[in-house]
């Protein structure tokens, strides 16, 4: 009996962990939006989840409208949602464009590296790897 209970707990926990690491479902995203309405400080958590996890649902006008109303028409939240949708639609093109932008940033940053302090230089994405 203990083994069966232990197995059930492990299976339940693995489903919870997988749900937290995969793309956001529509229900999960809507729940987060309602939390933003109650506590605007949680907006950063929603934006972070959109950027890290992406979305698994088709972005409809209804979801866009709900995002505008519950998210207080926040531009950063709307932009993160649209980016997540573009990544869902074509992940290969999105990743290619992201890599291109990082490369462009590194090349441009190299022109000015002598004019910034070490803290800024260390914070530059991929700069240390590109310099090595």
């Amino acid at each position: 009996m203990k083994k069966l209970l232990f197995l059930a707990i492990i299976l339940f926990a693995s489903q919870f962990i997988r749900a937290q690491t995969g793309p956001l479902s529509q229900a999960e995203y809507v729940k987060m939006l309602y939390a933003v309405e109650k506590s605007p400080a949680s907006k950063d958590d929603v934006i972070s989840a959109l950027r890290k996890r992406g979305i698994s649902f088709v972005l409809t006008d209804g979801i866009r409208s709900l995002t505008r109303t519950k998210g207080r028409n926040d531009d950063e939240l709307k932009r993160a949602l649209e980016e997540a949708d573009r990544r869902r639609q074509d992940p290969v093109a999105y990743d290619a464009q992201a890599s291109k932008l990082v490369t462009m940033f590194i090349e441009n940053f190299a022109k000015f590296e002598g004019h910034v302090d070490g803290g800024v230089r260390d914070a530059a994405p991929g700069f240390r790897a590109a310099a090595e």
Side-chain angles (χ1 to χ4, degrees):
M1 184 66 176
K2 289 181 183 180
K3 290 180 182 180
L4 185 60
L5 181 60
F6 180 72
L7 180 61
I9 291 171
I10 295 296
L11 289 174
F12 178 75
S14 68
Q15 292 295 325
F16 180 74
I17 291 169
R18 187 173 7 167
Q20 295 298 313
T21 58
L24 291 170
S25 68
Q26 184 171 332
E28 193 175 5
Y29 177 69
V30 168
K31 185 177 178 181
M32 294 173 90
L33 281 179
Y34 277 92
V36 169
E37 183 181 41
K38 293 177 183 175
S39 173
S42 66
K43 175 192 68 138
D44 292 336
D45 295 335
V46 177
I47 291 169
S48 177
L50 285 168
R51 290 186 174 148
K52 289 179 183 173
R53 296 175 54 195
I55 58 175
S56 65
F57 55 91
V58 175
L59 184 56
T60 63
D61 290 339
I63 293 294
R64 285 183 180 98
S65 177
L66 189 67
T67 299
R68 282 191 301 273
T69 57
K70 302 300 180 194
R72 300 179 181 195
N73 209 26
D74 184 83
D75 287 334
E76 188 178 8
L77 179 58
K78 293 186 295 187
R79 190 171 36 253
L81 179 61
E82 293 293 338
E83 288 171 3
D85 186 51
R86 283 191 296 276
R87 190 168 63 240
R88 179 195 60 81
Q89 290 177 21
D90 193 352
V92 173
Y94 185 88
D95 290 342
Q97 180 65 15
S99 294
K100 179 182 172 185
L101 291 172
V102 168
T103 300
M104 289 170 58
F105 177 85
I106 291 169
E107 290 170 356
N108 191 50
F109 190 83
K111 297 174 190 175
F112 304 98
E113 84 173 276
H115 304 287
V116 297
D117 69 26
V120 173
R121 193 171 30 257
D122 291 342
F127 184 73
R128 287 169 293 195
E132 293 174 354

